[in-house]
Amino acid sequence: MVSVVIPCYNCEEFICRAVTSVLGQAYPSVELLLIDNNSTDGTYALLKDLERKHPDKITVYSEKSKGACAARNHGLFKSRGEWIQFLDADDQLLPSKIESQMQVVSVGKTDVVVSDYLKLGAKSGQSTPKEVIIEDDPWLGVINSTLGVTSALLWKREKLVAANGWSTELSSSQEYDLLFRLMKEGATIHVLHQAHTVIYGRPESVSRTASAGKLFQILYNRYDLRCRIYTFLKENNLLKTEYKQQLHAYLYYHLLLISELNMPYFKEQVKSKGFKEIGLVNKTKAFLNFIRHSSKRKHGYSNAFLKIAEWQYFFCKNLYLLKF
């Protein structure tokens, strides 16, 4: 059996799409656990109605601790399946998703199946999903956040329980923290280049926030996770040259982003890490990427010349960061 766990918070607008996609799976042995997480709209009533209509497939639970990870853990420990499919309430599984991944499981030892996925952006007017191809090397995948997303993965329940499930302490980067903890313990990751999951981008995504404090925490979570990955790989003689270069590039770029929010922390970390392996070319690429995605830029000009002038302003204004 595969247990599908959906954390539900104020999702009455789109939860039926996710539920219908689960009930329409070609794989026959599936149970669906809907975990209400303090919804204030009509979500809970809708979930109970779905449970009444499909009592053989759907069970509804309530989780009072806030956050999707607490809800996922509730579903994990209530589940009966040997395999777990976590699905966000606004995402969708194509009919052959679980079946295709379970075929991989039946062939050989696998603890997590990671797959490509289809992404439909939050921008209005986008009607064709973009296929996202994941990284073949699991370690490069967790380093660069290119090993898929929550809804596109299939997890072995035994491994998740042994790892105590999702971290409820983190406000972001939870799926890569979980993947890293499993990989530390020797979990086997199988990469399947098939896209059977549709991810719907939403304007209120956790990574889109106007709060400087929340943004710093998001960037810090990403940075801290890669520091832990670096330490683990180094201590276990797994730090290949490519891993080291990618980690340094990731860490340096995120420190540049952090510099806009906490300059003392940026200076402290750059001095302690050194980043000598990056090289001037890659350091410059990271800097240009930082200027392009600076949260301080307005990005609202319709005039191309104003955009160019703004880019030049931020380039010159932040050029001194390269001296650290």
Side-chain angles (χ1 to χ4, degrees):
M1 178 183 285
V2 174
S3 298
V4 181
V5 177
I6 305 182
C8 303
Y9 172 72
N10 289 354
C11 57
E12 61 178 334
E13 293 180 42
F14 39 77
I15 184 59
C16 286
R17 179 180 64 201
V19 169
T20 299
S21 77
V22 174
L23 297 178
Q25 288 297 297
Y27 189 78
S29 185
V30 173
E31 68 166 351
L32 175 54
L33 294 80
L34 302 175
I35 318 298
D36 181 67
N37 192 211
N38 303 290
S39 295
T40 56
D41 62 358
T43 294
Y44 184 73
L46 179 56
L47 299 183
K48 294 301 289 184
D49 185 54
L50 289 167
E51 183 182 43
R52 282 190 292 271
K53 290 178 179 177
H54 306 279
D56 58 326
K57 287 284 187 179
I58 297 177
T59 308
V60 174
Y61 297 98
S62 292
E63 172 56 53
K64 297 304 179 184
S65 298
K66 293 182 179 180
C69 288
R72 290 181 188 125
N73 283 340
H74 191 129
L76 167 63
F77 291 106
K78 291 287 187 181
S79 65
R80 297 178 294 127
E82 184 183 354
W83 292 87
I84 306 293
Q85 161 75 60
F86 294 107
L87 178 62
D88 288 349
D90 53 349
D91 293 339
Q92 177 184 7
L93 304 181
L94 298 183
S96 56
K97 196 276 186 185
I98 293 177
E99 183 180 59
S100 66
Q101 292 184 324
M102 287 301 290
Q103 287 174 352
V104 171
V105 168
S106 66
V107 172
K109 184 182 183 304
T110 302
D111 298 313
V112 184
V113 183
V114 297
S115 297
D116 302 333
Y117 58 96
L118 303 169
K119 186 173 184 180
L120 198 59
K123 295 181 180 178
S124 60
Q126 183 182 349
S127 58
T128 304
K130 177 184 177 182
E131 185 170 1
V132 180
I133 308 299
I134 60 172
E135 175 63 55
D136 286 308
D137 184 323
W139 280 115
L140 285 178
V142 293
I143 289 169
N144 293 313
S145 298
T146 52
L147 201 61
V149 292
T150 301
S151 297
L153 278 59
L154 189 70
W155 314 73
K156 193 168 187 176
R157 185 182 187 276
E158 178 186 359
K159 293 292 183 178
L160 292 174
V161 171
N164 294 316
W166 297 74
S167 171
T168 56
E169 304 298 318
L170 294 174
S171 57
S172 62
S173 299
Q174 300 102 327
E175 62 199 336
Y176 281 93
D177 167 75
L178 180 54
L179 280 167
F180 170 55
R181 287 188 284 119
L182 292 177
M183 290 169 67
K184 277 175 60 178
E185 299 303 319
T188 303
I189 311 294
H190 187 102
V191 176
L192 177 65
H193 287 300
Q194 295 179 14
H196 297 291
T197 308
V198 182
I199 308 299
Y200 290 83
R202 299 186 60 77
E204 63 271 25
S205 169
V206 68
S207 60
R208 299 185 179 108
T209 176
S211 167
K214 289 182 179 179
L215 181 57
F216 174 77
Q217 192 61 53
I218 290 169
L219 296 173
Y220 174 79
N221 287 344
R222 294 175 183 172
Y223 181 80
D224 179 67
L225 175 58
R226 273 65 193 189
C227 287
R228 288 188 281 128
I229 292 173
Y230 187 100
T231 299
F232 172 78
L233 292 177
K234 185 177 181 179
E235 290 179 349
N236 290 274
N237 297 317
L238 298 171
L239 191 60
K240 298 179 182 178
T241 301
E242 185 177 11
Y243 296 168
K244 190 174 185 179
Q245 291 173 344
Q246 292 290 319
L247 278 164
H248 274 276
Y250 191 103
L251 291 170
Y252 182 72
Y253 171 68
H254 278 75
L255 280 177
L256 288 172
L257 294 176
I258 287 173
S259 72
E260 294 187 322
L261 304 164
N262 190 328
M263 180 58 75
Y265 186 80
F266 165 79
K267 292 180 179 178
E268 169 198 322
Q269 291 297 307
V270 170
K271 288 179 180 177
S272 66
K273 296 289 190 297
F275 297 110
K276 295 178 181 178
E277 288 85 354
I278 293 182
L280 182 60
V281 173
N282 289 327
K283 205 172 187 181
T284 304
K285 285 181 180 178
F287 177 75
L288 294 176
N289 198 29
F290 156 67
I291 297 298
R292 192 177 298 115
H293 295 96
S294 168
S295 63
K296 301 294 185 182
R297 292 179 61 200
K298 302 297 181 186
H299 299 286
Y301 297 123
S302 58
N303 187 308
F305 290 105
L306 289 177
K307 285 186 177 180
I308 293 173
E310 184 195 39
W311 192 94
Q312 292 174 332
Y313 168 75
F314 276 92
F315 178 87
C316 295
K317 179 176 179 287
N318 292 284
L319 195 59
Y320 77 102
L321 293 173
L322 291 172
K323 76 176 184 179
F324 293 103

